[in-house]
Amino acid sequence: MIPTATVTSPNNSLFSRLRFVLVETSRAGNVGSVARAMKTMGFKELVLVAPKCADPLNDPEAVAFASGAIDVLQNARIVPDIKDALDGCNFAAAVSARLREFSPPVWTPRAFSSHAASQQSLVPAVVFGNERVGLPNHIVEACNVLINIPANPDYSSLNLSQAAQVLAYEARMAALGDGIDAGSVGFHGDAASVSQIDGMYAHLEQALVAIGFLNADNPKKLMPRLKRLFARTGLETEEVNILRGIARAIMSSTANNTPPRKD
């Protein structure tokens, strides 16, 4: 069993702690594909145990399949055995579609990733076997857990790089936690302050009263419902200014008895 004693890491981010280990890989192209899968998710430490393909770090197929992840590929280490591959690690997970009678506890990729991300003292490794025969029993039994990727039971075979991509993705999501969402893409302005939003509500209420949409003597629940609507949007300062500009144009047009401008 891989020891679980604390190992000092210069950076507690899972991106720097997680190691990908490929055991006796046959195709150089698969080594390159795994390097690409790792880099797309932000990981960089790749170790090859006794690869069966010649010169896997410079093989033309490996380079082609790595695409833009040449740095991950060419910085990979080649070692003779699993002991050297896991040197410095204190938690190892064997990845296999085949369950063993005497295997360590079986985890999903998500469970492993969550554990690895939350336990900052861990220097974890995910270990992948040969494309055709997978991992030998003695390596699986030496690991802390066995990762089984939930897949179609009628066809659960994943390519080596596909399995690595699943693990890298789950590890990335666990590492980022609440730091990733759909709002992380695209332009973002400054969030509007409470006072700015309150001012907008007051301005909007005046405009609605001015056009007769809101009865000031009997407002019912219109404004609370509008506030709830806008609260779900995460208003930015510029958006508040736009809404106040609309309210200002409405009030100006009603004061002048002219239709509001549409531009």
Side-chain angles (χ1 to χ4, degrees):
M1 184 70 69
I2 304 302
T4 56
T6 300
V7 173
T8 302
S9 175
N11 186 333
N12 280 336
S13 166
L14 186 58
F15 295 108
S16 64
R17 289 187 283 118
L18 181 59
R19 182 180 304 175
F20 285 71
V21 177
L22 307 185
V23 178
E24 298 183 353
T25 310
S26 296
R27 289 288 301 272
N30 282 331
V31 176
S33 293
V34 170
R36 181 175 184 177
M38 291 171 57
K39 185 165 184 176
T40 59
M41 295 296 127
F43 299 96
K44 58 186 179 182
E45 188 173 2
L46 176 61
V47 179
L48 311 180
V49 178
K52 293 184 177 297
C53 45
D55 197 18
L57 308 187
N58 297 293
D59 184 284
E61 184 179 74
V63 172
F65 280 51
S67 189
I70 299 300
D71 55 333
V72 175
L73 177 65
Q74 296 189 340
N75 286 326
R77 293 186 291 116
I78 298 177
V79 298
D81 55 42
I82 191 66
K83 180 180 179 181
D84 288 336
L86 297 179
D87 183 40
C89 291
N90 57 9
F91 194 85
V95 181
S96 177
R98 180 166 60 90
L99 301 180
R100 313 301 211 279
E101 183 179 1
F102 298 105
S103 80
V106 179
W107 287 11
T108 64
R110 190 161 299 174
F112 164 79
S113 299
S114 176
H115 180 73
S118 63
Q119 303 295 318
Q120 295 190 354
S121 63
L122 290 185
V123 180
V126 282
V127 184
F128 301 84
N130 175 269
E131 299 93 326
R132 187 175 63 85
V133 298
L135 284 169
N137 287 337
H138 75 275
I139 290 182
V140 173
E141 292 167 7
C143 289
N144 299 86
V145 297
L146 186 152
I147 296 177
N148 184 259
I149 299 174
N152 178 5
D154 296 326
Y155 188 71
S156 59
S157 176
L158 286 174
N159 174 272
L160 172 58
S161 62
Q162 292 172 336
Q165 187 73 77
V166 170
L167 263 297
Y169 168 78
E170 289 292 351
R172 179 177 181 82
M173 295 300 290
L176 293 177
D178 293 334
I180 184 168
D181 55 52
S184 64
V185 179
F187 172 79
H188 297 282
D190 295 328
S193 67
V194 173
S195 61
Q196 288 173 326
I197 293 175
D198 284 344
M200 179 206 74
Y201 287 143
H203 208 162
L204 184 59
E205 184 174 5
Q206 293 171 5
L208 294 176
V209 170
I211 61 174
F213 191 84
L214 175 64
N215 184 343
D217 296 325
N218 187 24
K220 297 183 179 180
K221 296 182 179 180
L222 178 61
M223 288 310 298
R225 288 184 179 278
L226 286 176
K227 290 179 180 181
R228 186 174 70 169
L229 184 156
F230 284 117
R232 294 198 298 266
T233 66
L235 286 166
E236 297 174 359
T237 299
E238 185 62 26
E239 293 165 342
V240 166
N241 291 338
I242 291 171
L243 290 169
R244 295 198 69 163
I246 293 171
R248 188 178 303 109
I250 290 172
M251 294 175 67
S252 176
S253 67
T254 55
N256 298 327
N257 199 25
T258 58
R261 293 179 57 185
K262 295 182 179 180
D263 52 355

